Structure formats: structure tokens, C-alpha cells
Amino acid sequence: MDRDGLTQPGGESVTALEQSQDSAGRPVRVAIIGAGPAGVYVADVLMKSGTDVSIDLFERQPAPYGLIRYGVAPDHPRIKGIITALRQVLSKPQVRLLGNVEYGVDIKLDDLRQHYDAIVFTTGAEKDRDLDIPGIDLPGSFGGADFVSWFDGHPDVPRTWPLEAESIAVIGAGNVGLDVSRMLSKTADELLATEIPDNVYQGLRASPVKEVHIFARRGPAQAKFTPLELRELDHSPNVEVLMAPEDFELDAGSASSINSDNQTKLVVRELERYAMRTAENGTGERPRKLWLHFFENPVEIYGDGKVEGFRTERTELVGDGNVRGTGELRDWPVQAVYRCVGYRSTELADLPWDSRNHVVPHAAGRVLDLDGAHVPGLYVNGWVKRGPVGLIGHTKGDAIETVGSLLADLAAGVLPAVASPSPDAVTGLLDSRALPYTTWQGWDLLDAHEISLGGPHGRPRIKVVDRETMVQVSRPAAPA
């Protein structure tokens, strides 16, 4: 990206002058659906392009930040530090937050088309991918994403969680699996230094858990953990991280991955440390145990009316990093199973949908109809565009591509005409529907309120969970 605009694939630079579309000289009106990182990065790239823009971010929750607020474990302050950068973007005068407004329910695509030159969907992915094995629907079998929403205080999930198991299985060798396992195995008092809501603290405090088992289908070099997340497992004084030495196996494909990717090398090194320590010291002295199991493919969850066990098939490497089943079945006596096999996005009203990959079909961020043609004025970014892969930072690259497509269409004059581009027309529409929307100024009030709740207890904040309370704090002058 150059100083004056975005360099297009063909090499030509789209400048602010070339991007001007409206003869009256008004700013280009852009709606972004979703105020998480994917949406905020789109706003940031748009403003840095030199284009005169007026941006509204619509957010289903009363508070901004999406995945950072409701999808990251509360004991990850470094990741939550991303909020500082996002806040700088959201506080810009060209950007307006309209929270507590749900797309497809409170405001529809036809409404947005009346008020915006372009609409960018950045709704993310917060549902669990399915795992089709027998017993997956037994009581005691849970989606990892649902558990994350609970411990992060998502306003749309129940306030209680059935933490009744002493032994727990977690399926999935990714960072979500680590987050879920860490939150299940840590003591509640360890988490008092974070922003967890009181109901989460009380729930974890009553948990009888003694051991958590993470299961991966392939080997150490194929794990999707990041080194930092893996290393942080060992930071709890109450949790012993264990790995059977026989699970530390590599093949030629694994060696190639280690040699070509530094992150894989660091992950394997950390796993080797856990395996060697387990071989030398046994199960250790810390009261709770967290086991890492590799080469175990999920086969079945079983029990009489509830989860009583988890069955896996032992696998083995075949040379290229892939595995095959050995036919050896193993039973694990657990009372709860959490599947952490990936997130998926949910279908968006009035938009084309790829039901196989759970994304909006697109070309370089341009939404495509069922015939593969671009739907004018509609764009996507983030996980609803590319699927739930990669780290949060990868969404920045997505945003550059999507905004480049939008600005190219703007310069070409192919964006649809807008009937009511005034910012006041949008808030007037929301007011006419008696929607108690929240704003950036309202978030400042809620932010200060949560910090004030934590202060007397020596905590950074205590997160408000109830939606109605969040709205009331954010809109103090609103009628009761």
C-alpha cells in the first residue's frame, strides 16, 4: 500500500481523487457488519487509503471487539492488548459504532442499501463445527465454542455451566482446545486476576475436575498449537502438564515440517520437553493433571443416558505426516467431552451462502451470487470470507484485499446509487424502530463501569454479562 492509495493487482494506484464518486462531494458511506477485528481492520484500511469515508460499524452485541471480547480466554492479556490498537481506529471521527443492532433482525439488507454505497460483512465465526461420531449428542458432550462463550460472559448464553466431571476429554489439537483445557483445569482463584464474570468464577470454583485429556488424531509435528499457547499451559502452579513418551513420534514428513517452519519446530520442542519430563518425573506433584495425547482418533462417546466414556482408535504415521488407523481401540473413562475441531460461520440473511464451507462465496472479497457474478456493493472480510483459519493478524491482509476491491469498484463507478446517504437517516431509522442501539460514547461508559467493578477487588475489570444491564449502562439517558 502506498501513501496515497491502494496499489491494485494490475499495478495502478487508486488515489483519493480517482475514488471520488459523488458529484456533491459527500464522503463515501460504508456499512461494516461486525465490530470485531475483521471489521475494524476494514475501517482502518479504508481511512488510510486517502478516501473521504464515513463508516458505520453495526454490532449485534452492545459492546465492540467481537472475538477479542467473547472468543479469547480471559487469562490472555497479551492477546487482549490488541484492543488498544482497535480502540484507536474506533475512536476516529470518520467511524461510528452502532451496537446492539442485529443484522437480518433489526436491520435488513434492503435497509442498508438505502443508506450506504458499500456494505462489508465481517461477522466472524462463533459456532462449533460438527463432529459426526456416535454419542456426540449425549448429555455431557459439549461444543468448545459454547464453553468459550460462557466463560467469556457472552450475553446470549446461559449463566450456568454443568461442571460436574472429574475426568474430561477435549478433542482437537488447536489453540481453542488449549484454551478450553486450560480453563477447565485451572483453579477458579487463579483466574481472579482476570476479567471473568462472577458467575463464571463461582461455576469454576465448584468444579470437581481432577484431570483433563487433550486428544489429537495426528502427531506432535502436525499440531496446530502456537508455541506461546503451548508454553502457557505449564504456568499454573496447580496443573501438571503430561505427555506419554510413546506419543512423541516423527516421520520424514514431520521432519520436513520442522525444518521448514520455525513455529512447528518450537511446538515440537515444547512437546518433547513435556514428554521427557513425564518420563523422568511421572505424573508430578501438582494436584490437577492435563494430559496431551497424540495418535488418537475419536471413534465414539458412550454412556447410559450421559457421557461415561470416550473411545479412540490408535493411529500411526505413514511417512508424509499423515496417519492411518491401526485398529487398536482405547477406552477413556471420562464424564464430559468437549469438541474443539474448529469454528464455523452462520448463514447471513439475503446473502449467497456456501453451505459446505460455511462462508459467503467471494472473489477477492467481492460477494458472488449463485452464478458467480459480483453482487454490486457487497463485500466480505475475515472468517466469514476465508473460514476460521489463521491468527487474528491474518485478517489485516484480508482487509487490504477486500478494501482494494471496494475502492476499485468505486473508481470504476459500479457501486449502486444510494437514496438516503445522510448519517442521520440511519439513526433516524433505528429510532423509528425503537431500537436501543449503543454507541462508542456508550462503550466508554460501559468500559469505565466494568473497570470500576473490578477496582475494589484488585482486578482489571469485572465483565458485565447481562445484555439489558450493558445497554442501560451504555445509555444512561434512555427511558426505562
Side-chain angles (χ1 to χ4, degrees):
M1 188 165 60
D2 61 25
R3 187 181 67 178
D4 299 316
L6 292 174
T7 301
Q8 300 304 305
E12 66 276 15
S13 177
V14 179
T15 66
L17 179 62
E18 292 169 333
Q19 291 156 3
S20 179
Q21 179 187 8
D22 195 286
S23 58
R26 66 169 175 83
V28 178
R29 293 279 289 145
V30 178
I32 300 174
I33 312 304
V40 177
Y41 289 148
V42 167
D44 187 37
V45 176
L46 272 168
M47 288 186 289
K48 289 177 178 177
S49 73
T51 309
D52 186 11
V53 290
S54 171
I55 302 167
D56 286 344
L57 284 108
F58 290 86
E59 171 54 51
R60 181 164 59 94
Q61 306 306 333
Y65 304 134
L67 172 69
I68 303 299
R69 182 173 170 92
Y70 293 120
V72 175
D75 58 350
H76 273 329
R78 287 181 296 277
I79 294 179
K80 287 185 176 291
I82 296 172
I83 284 180
T84 301
L86 300 183
R87 184 181 182 90
Q88 291 176 352
V89 178
L90 286 168
S91 61
K92 298 288 186 182
Q94 302 100 308
V95 177
R96 183 169 63 172
L97 174 68
L98 298 171
N100 202 40
V101 179
E102 184 173 0
Y103 170 77
V105 176
D106 299 319
I107 195 164
K108 300 184 184 296
L109 182 60
D110 286 345
D111 299 323
L112 295 169
R113 283 193 175 280
Q114 294 294 312
H115 297 89
Y116 298 95
D117 299 289
I119 306 158
V120 187
F121 293 87
T122 64
T123 48
E126 59 179 21
K127 298 296 183 182
D128 286 287
R129 281 190 175 271
D130 295 333
L131 179 63
D132 187 17
I133 60 173
I136 197 68
D137 295 323
L138 276 174
S141 173
F142 306 105
D146 293 335
F147 183 58
V148 171
S149 293
W150 175 74
F151 68 60
D152 271 334
H154 195 292
D156 298 336
V157 303
R159 300 293 176 263
T160 60
W161 191 270
L163 291 164
E164 302 162 351
E166 291 188 355
S167 297
I168 300 172
V170 176
I171 306 172
N175 284 341
V176 175
L178 291 187
D179 279 356
V180 167
S181 300
R182 199 175 60 255
M183 291 295 292
L184 286 167
S185 57
K186 274 187 172 182
T187 64
D189 286 348
E190 289 179 75
L191 296 165
L192 270 180
T194 74
E195 61 185 41
I196 60 167
D198 185 63
N199 68 294
V200 176
Y201 170 74
Q202 297 299 337
L204 293 172
R205 186 181 183 187
S207 171
V209 66
K210 294 180 179 178
E211 55 185 28
V212 176
H213 300 263
I214 304 176
F215 293 91
R217 185 176 62 88
R218 297 193 291 171
Q222 289 75 45
K224 300 301 181 183
F225 312 133
T226 56
L228 177 61
E229 294 258 0
L230 188 59
R231 198 173 300 119
E232 285 179 342
L233 279 185
D234 208 28
H235 289 179
S236 169
N238 299 299
V239 182
E240 195 79 44
V241 183
L242 303 163
M243 178 179 164
E246 60 265 27
D247 278 3
F248 191 83
E249 291 187 14
L250 306 173
D251 61 1
S254 301
S256 177
S257 297
I258 293 168
N259 292 332
S260 62
D261 184 79
N262 190 55
Q263 178 163 291
T264 301
K265 181 184 299 183
L266 293 173
V267 166
V268 170
R269 183 182 300 166
E270 197 67 23
L271 291 171
E272 183 179 26
R273 182 175 71 85
Y274 290 141
M276 291 178 63
R277 189 177 68 186
T278 303
E280 293 171 358
N281 302 327
T283 57
E285 298 180 355
R286 299 177 192 178
R288 296 184 177 184
K289 313 301 179 185
L290 199 164
W291 282 91
L292 294 158
H293 301 285
F294 293 90
F295 305 110
E296 301 290 351
N297 187 44
V299 172
E300 181 183 3
I301 301 168
Y302 59 87
D304 185 9
K306 61 180 181 179
V307 173
E308 295 176 344
F310 175 55
R311 182 168 294 141
T312 62
E313 179 187 11
R314 188 71 177 170
T315 63
E316 61 184 7
L317 291 161
V318 296
D320 61 358
N322 289 309
V323 294
R324 64 187 171 205
T326 65
E328 178 189 349
L329 298 179
R330 296 184 177 185
D331 283 4
W332 308 84
V334 300
Q335 300 85 50
V337 176
Y338 289 74
R339 70 182 187 276
C340 301
V341 295
Y343 286 154
R344 64 174 176 83
S345 300
T346 52
E347 188 169 355
L348 294 167
D350 301 320
L351 260 66
W353 188 249
D354 178 348
S355 58
R356 179 176 181 179
N357 297 305
H358 302 288
V359 295
V360 174
H362 74 95
R366 295 180 175 94
V367 173
L368 303 178
D369 64 20
L370 297 180
D371 296 321
H374 176 216
V375 183
L378 301 187
Y379 305 87
V380 287
N381 190 56
W383 283 359
V384 77
K385 169 187 175 183
R386 61 184 171 89
V389 293
L391 302 176
I392 292 171
H394 293 145
T395 307
K396 290 183 179 181
D398 278 350
I400 292 172
E401 178 185 64
T402 293
V403 172
S405 295
L406 190 161
L407 295 181
D409 293 343
L410 175 63
V414 297
L415 296 184
V418 180
S420 303
S422 167
D424 292 339
V426 176
T427 50
L429 174 65
L430 300 179
D431 289 334
S432 72
R433 295 177 177 174
L435 295 172
Y437 61 89
T438 59
T439 63
W440 181 245
Q441 291 73 27
W443 163 245
D444 276 340
L445 295 173
L446 179 58
D447 187 34
H449 178 71
E450 291 183 341
I451 292 171
S452 72
L453 292 177
H457 306 283
R459 299 175 59 187
R461 75 171 64 229
I462 296 177
K463 190 181 290 184
V464 176
V465 177
D466 179 67
R467 178 183 291 270
E468 184 176 346
T469 303
M470 294 174 71
V471 173
Q472 287 176 349
V473 172
S474 301
R475 293 168 56 92

